Amino acid sequence: PRPRLARQGLRVALGLVLCISVGVGIRSCLRQPASVRFKGCVSDETLSLAGSPWTGTELPYLRGSVLPVDKKTGAVDDRLYDAMPRSLRAGDPGDVQTVLAIERGAELIGLYGGPGGRGGARVETCYVVIVDVQGRRVVGAQTFSAPPPPSESSMSVFMALKDRDIVEWIEGLPRK
């Protein structure tokens, strides 16, 4: 009787593990990245507003839920979206009241080893334009840069921007 009871307990344990694994797998498959969920939700008009100058005569602000998008393609910037707290980011397309038009780039700030040296020193940059969708205007802008690379290196160096720096800035902005 004992081996039979042990086999039955093992079957129950394996069954529970299988159920939990399937549940976790289904949940992760159902969670779509923001770039899929928000595809096409930001109009060309809103993106074109991001090219308007910000006068800087008033303090930047956020209105409602925020969606960061690539300024050129209109696709969601998943990297920044995922770094933002849920309380700030839009949950679905109908929630979007502020668009952050993101323009990422890299700046060559020097070469290692002199002319024809061993590689370049680059830093990631990010220009953020805040667009109030309801007000249909630019209400803020800021440029961010990664920290400087080391002064010496035997190869090329790329310093990535910490998205947390951008998130801290937008978290500190007043809400309307």
Side-chain angles (χ1 to χ4, degrees):
R2 244 187 170 158
R4 188 179 206 187
L5 187 58
R7 272 187 268 152
Q8 193 173 20
L10 182 60
R11 283 186 193 140
V12 169
L14 287 175
L16 283 171
V17 168
L18 180 63
C19 286
I20 291 170
S21 297
V22 168
V24 168
I26 289 172
R27 196 172 98 215
S28 65
C29 287
L30 292 176
R31 184 182 179 270
Q32 295 176 321
S35 56
V36 172
R37 215 173 36 239
F38 291 97
K39 186 173 184 168
C41 99
V42 177
S43 70
D44 290 340
E45 179 187 0
T46 300
L47 286 176
S48 69
L49 286 171
S52 304
W54 175 52
T55 60
T57 55
E58 64 178 298
L59 292 175
Y61 66 87
L62 301 176
R63 181 185 305 276
S65 297
V66 178
L67 184 67
V69 297
D70 182 293
K71 186 176 173 183
K72 293 176 187 157
T73 67
V76 173
D77 186 304
D78 280 321
R79 191 173 129 189
L80 186 54
Y81 182 86
D82 290 339
M84 292 168 50
R86 289 178 190 229
S87 61
L88 190 59
R89 64 187 186 199
D92 62 60
D95 292 343
V96 179
Q97 294 181 35
T98 299
V99 168
L100 301 179
I102 307 296
E103 196 170 344
R104 292 188 187 268
E107 183 181 344
L108 178 67
I109 62 168
L111 296 172
Y112 292 117
R118 299 180 300 265
R122 289 180 168 73
V123 295
E124 182 180 19
T125 60
C126 185
Y127 182 59
V128 180
V129 177
I130 305 170
V131 179
D132 178 342
V133 176
Q134 179 184 337
R136 298 178 60 213
R137 65 191 186 108
V138 171
V139 297
Q142 181 74 31
T143 301
F144 296 87
S145 293
S151 58
E152 293 183 25
S153 178
S154 60
M155 62 184 137
S156 292
V157 174
F158 177 78
M159 298 298 289
L161 178 66
K162 295 177 184 162
D163 290 324
R164 187 78 208 135
D165 294 343
I166 301 171
V167 171
E168 287 174 1
W169 176 67
I170 60 177
E171 283 180 318
L173 295 174
R175 307 286 292 246
K176 284 199 175 183

